[in-house]
Amino acid sequence: MDDTPSRRPTALPALRSKARDAGFVRSSEDRTGSLLAALAAARPGGRILELGTGVGEGTAWILSGMDRAARLTTVELDPTVQAIAREQLGTDPRVTFVSGDAGTWLEDFDGAPFDLVFADTRPGKFTHLDRALGLVAPGGTYLIDDLVPQPGWPEGHEASVKRLLTELDEREDFRCVRLAWASGLLMAVRTA
């Protein structure tokens, strides 16, 4: 079976071109993106949070699965790379871009929980985990990637992944499934 996505967001080629021009190489892999689109489609009118916009490839995948009533908040520390996402996707009224540290954003946020949380940066995954998980609505999904060793991983990343997986597996309030494809994923659903 070929698991290469057959449908891709229309903005993806432009985002990839701009990412190459900017030297940004940490975008979501296509299979991860396809899963994000499916998870977003499963939540009509859903509230979605993305931690780590990057240049917006994951954002484009999420938006491609969302219906008109769904809303996406995406947070990015680096305003230069997020500017690419804003330029390509900023006219979509369903998305709100936040420039700033995701850890600080998680600490300060006091709104309603989210149906889907995609943590694609350290805060919400390796730091501020409890806060990110606390923002997942009952029945909602928490998704993380970059769990399989990759060339260029920063020092200490593998140990952080092991600690994270152990902590998530021990939680009683989430059902977890590990997916050993794409960059290595873990999907956790908050129990009711």
Side-chain angles (χ1 to χ4, degrees), residues 2-129:
D2 181 5
D3 64 354
T4 305
S6 58
R7 291 171 47 184
R8 290 179 176 80
T10 56
L12 215 50
L15 288 168
R16 288 189 172 153
S17 174
K18 301 233 180 227
R20 274 191 305 277
D21 293 347
F24 188 84
V25 295
R26 297 184 310 263
S27 292
S28 294
E29 196 263 352
D30 279 356
R31 290 175 293 171
T32 302
S34 183
L35 178 59
L36 284 167
L39 291 171
R43 296 298 184 162
R47 292 176 36 80
I48 302 170
L49 173 63
E50 178 185 37
L51 300 170
T53 312
V55 297
E57 288 188 39
T59 310
W61 281 103
I62 293 168
L63 288 168
S64 75
M66 290 169 43
D67 69 5
R68 291 178 191 261
R71 296 293 176 258
L72 168 62
T73 299
T74 183
V75 184
E76 173 60 44
L77 177 62
D78 185 341
T80 304
V81 296
Q82 192 185 59
I84 295 169
R86 286 176 185 262
E87 174 189 322
Q88 297 297 314
L89 305 169
T91 60
D92 191 320
R94 301 172 300 165
V95 62
T96 299
F97 291 96
V98 177
S99 290
D101 179 75
T104 302
W105 187 90
L106 285 166
E107 291 168 5
D108 295 343
F109 182 76
D110 65 352
F114 294 89
D115 301 300
L116 170 61
V117 173
F118 176 44
D120 193 19
T121 190
R122 293 190 69 75
K125 188 183 328 188
F126 301 120
T127 70
H128 302 84
L129 177 63

